[in-house]
């Protein structure tokens, strides 16, 4: 069908910049994994089955620190919880055919960036568009991890040292523009930073495993934000 | 420390279910304002908590990290894209590293 083809191609096209960014960021994930003692195929397997920057970084840290399964599962749940909201939000902007099994399969491709592009699409999101959209970023993410895990070691340490900041640059690029626009996000981010520093620098509290520390920060800050600065009531078709 | 595959399966299962289940089941908006607000703020809280203060210790020197993160923050605040901000963080840090070597 001509329609499917054009939808798929439209998605692929819009996925190109995401794929480039993912290659670069996952390259540093590959380096991180190698530096924590993961074999190259272990890092690649994690990237292929998770497709999430923040969760993977916290995950390999928790694993290499010998964390418990409960800590890993709970921290992954909290860190990746935002995808639940994105899935719910995105479900408002899909076409009538993009339901059931298609959602169950393609839902795997919801990431911060893929969601952002899909939800801002003026037309309803079809399953073919979404499949096209996640196509190149998935390979970018996988191949970047592979390259980082295999070749990160041959780069000068000065280069790999500064490249570890790439992933944080991505986080900053997502959060900071929002803090400028919304008081709620500004307050939540400041609170999360404050609690995080408290846990990090206080002698006894710094023994809390990193996965749990992130949970505590995120839940405290998001609860406070939801309580004191709730988002506006639903009106019209605005995003969530 | 458990077997790698146990960890890997747990990570995969959580990452998949947390996305696919709500996306598959929900066809209407969440009505509860508190829950909606909590879910809305979670990504920003998580990403900030992962960045502060850990990002400052990601490189071998606080000055190098600070320079890279500062450059990234300025560009992000001006609304530049993901790739630009990420590259700028590395470039800013690299420049500081070179400066420190020249000075030292």
């Amino acid at each position: 069908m001509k329609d499917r083809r054009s939808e798929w191609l439209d998605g692929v096209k819009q996925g190109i910049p995401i794929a480039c960014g993912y290659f670069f960021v996952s390259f540093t994930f590959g380096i991180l994994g190698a530096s924590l003692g993961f074999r190259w195929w272990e890092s690649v397997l994690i990237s292929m089955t998770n497709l999430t920057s923040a969760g993977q970084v916290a995950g390999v840290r928790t694993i290499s620190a010998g964390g418990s399964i409960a800590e890993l599962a709970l921290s992954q749940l909290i860190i990746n919880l935002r995808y639940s909201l994105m899935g719910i939000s995105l479900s408002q902007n899909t076409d009538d055919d993009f339901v059931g099994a298609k959602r169950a399969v393609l839902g795997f491709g919801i990431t911060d960036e893929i969601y952002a592009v899909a939800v801002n699409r003026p037309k309803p999101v079809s399953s073919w568009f979404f499949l096209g959209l996640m196509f190149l970023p998935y390979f970018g993410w996988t191949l970047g991890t592979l390259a980082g895990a295999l070749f990160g070691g041959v780069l000068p340490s000065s280069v790999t040292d500064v490249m570890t900041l790439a992933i944080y640059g991505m986080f900053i690029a997502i959060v900071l523009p929002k803090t400028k626009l919304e008081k709620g996000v500004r307050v939540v981010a400041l609170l999360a930073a404050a609690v995080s520093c408290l846990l990090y620098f206080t002698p006894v509290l710094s023994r809390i495993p990193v996965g749990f520390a992130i949970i505590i920060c995120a839940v405290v800050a998001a609860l406070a934000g939801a309580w004191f600065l709730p988002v506006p009531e639903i009106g019209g078709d605005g995003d969530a | 420390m458990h077997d790698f595959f146990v960890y890997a399966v747990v990570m995969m299962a959580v990452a998949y279910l947390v996305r696919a289940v709500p996306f598959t089941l929900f066809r209407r908006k969440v009505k509860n304002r508190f829950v909606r607000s909590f879910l809305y703020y979670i990504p920003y809280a998580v990403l900030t908590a992962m960045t502060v203060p850990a990002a400052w210790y990601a490189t071998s020197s606080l000055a190098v990290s600070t320079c890279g993160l500062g450059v990234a923050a300025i560009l992000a605040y001006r609304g530049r894209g993901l790739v630009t901000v990420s590259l700028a963080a590395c470039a800013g840090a690299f420049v500081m590293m070179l400066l420190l070597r020249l000075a030292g």
Side-chain angles (χ1 to χ4, degrees), chain A residues 137-205:
Chain A
Y138 184 75
F139 286 102
W141 189 249
T142 302
L143 294 176
T145 307
L146 178 66
L150 287 180
F151 308 122
V154 304
L155 291 174
S157 63
S158 57
V159 173
T160 55
D161 194 41
V162 298
M163 279 185 80
T164 55
L165 288 182
I167 205 154
Y168 297 107
M170 193 168 84
F171 297 164
I172 289 168
I174 292 170
V175 176
L176 261 192
K178 275 281 185 182
T179 64
K180 190 166 71 171
L181 299 172
E182 296 176 31
K183 188 186 175 196
V185 175
R186 195 155 61 234
V187 170
V188 166
L190 282 173
L191 197 56
V195 177
S196 182
C197 285
L198 186 75
L199 295 182
Y200 196 92
F201 294 113
T202 310
V204 180
L205 298 178

Side-chain angles (χ1 to χ4, degrees), chain A residues 67 84 104 180 182 196 229, chain B residues 7 16 18-19 40-41 52 77:
Chain A
S84 294
K180 190 166 71 171
E182 296 176 31
S196 182
L229 293 161
Chain B
Y7 284 123
Y16 172 71
V18 84
R19 289 162 161 154
Y40 179 78
Y41 287 131
V52 185
Y77 206 73

Side-chain angles (χ1 to χ4, degrees), chain A residues 26-27 29-31 33-34 38-41 43-44 143-153:
Chain A
S26 67
F27 188 89
F29 173 75
I31 295 173
F38 287 84
R39 279 162 283 189
W40 67 267
W41 58 266
S43 296
V44 171
L143 294 176
T145 307
L146 178 66
L150 287 180
F151 308 122

Side-chain angles (χ1 to χ4, degrees), chain A residues 4-197:
Chain A
R4 284 181 185 177
R5 195 180 144 80
S6 67
E7 283 285 290
W8 152 265
L9 283 176
D10 188 21
V12 170
K13 205 161 63 183
Q14 297 203 43
I16 293 171
I18 302 177
C20 295
Y22 278 11
F23 183 88
F24 187 65
V25 167
S26 67
F27 188 89
T28 66
F29 173 75
I31 295 173
L32 174 72
S35 74
L36 291 173
F38 287 84
R39 279 162 283 189
W40 67 267
W41 58 266
E42 291 178 331
S43 296
V44 171
L45 185 69
I46 289 173
S47 279
M48 291 181 78
T49 53
N50 284 261
L51 194 66
T52 167
S53 56
Q56 287 183 203
V57 170
V60 293
R61 290 220 184 107
T62 302
I63 294 170
S64 72
S68 67
I69 294 292
E71 181 193 348
L72 182 70
L74 200 56
S75 62
Q76 292 296 304
L77 179 67
I78 294 289
I79 292 168
N80 293 332
L81 194 60
R82 63 189 193 280
Y83 296 134
S84 294
L85 178 71
M86 291 174 190
I88 295 166
S89 168
L90 188 60
S91 72
Q92 317 294 310
N93 196 33
T94 50
D95 72 10
D96 295 337
D97 186 52
F98 193 0
V99 292
K102 287 174 186 164
R103 283 201 191 177
V105 173
L106 298 182
F108 171 73
I110 296 171
T111 69
D112 301 296
E113 295 75 22
I114 291 171
Y115 158 80
V117 169
V119 82
N120 286 315
R121 193 184 195 216
K123 286 197 283 183
V125 173
S126 65
S127 53
W128 286 98
F129 172 79
F130 197 79
L131 183 65
L133 184 61
M134 64 188 273
F135 183 70
L136 290 176
Y138 184 75
F139 286 102
W141 189 249
T142 302
L143 294 176
T145 307
L146 178 66
L150 287 180
F151 308 122
V154 304
L155 291 174
S157 63
S158 57
V159 173
T160 55
D161 194 41
V162 298
M163 279 185 80
T164 55
L165 288 182
I167 205 154
Y168 297 107
M170 193 168 84
F171 297 164
I172 289 168
I174 292 170
V175 176
L176 261 192
K178 275 281 185 182
T179 64
K180 190 166 71 171
L181 299 172
E182 296 176 31
K183 188 186 175 196
V185 175
R186 195 155 61 234
V187 170
V188 166
L190 282 173
L191 197 56
V195 177
S196 182
C197 285

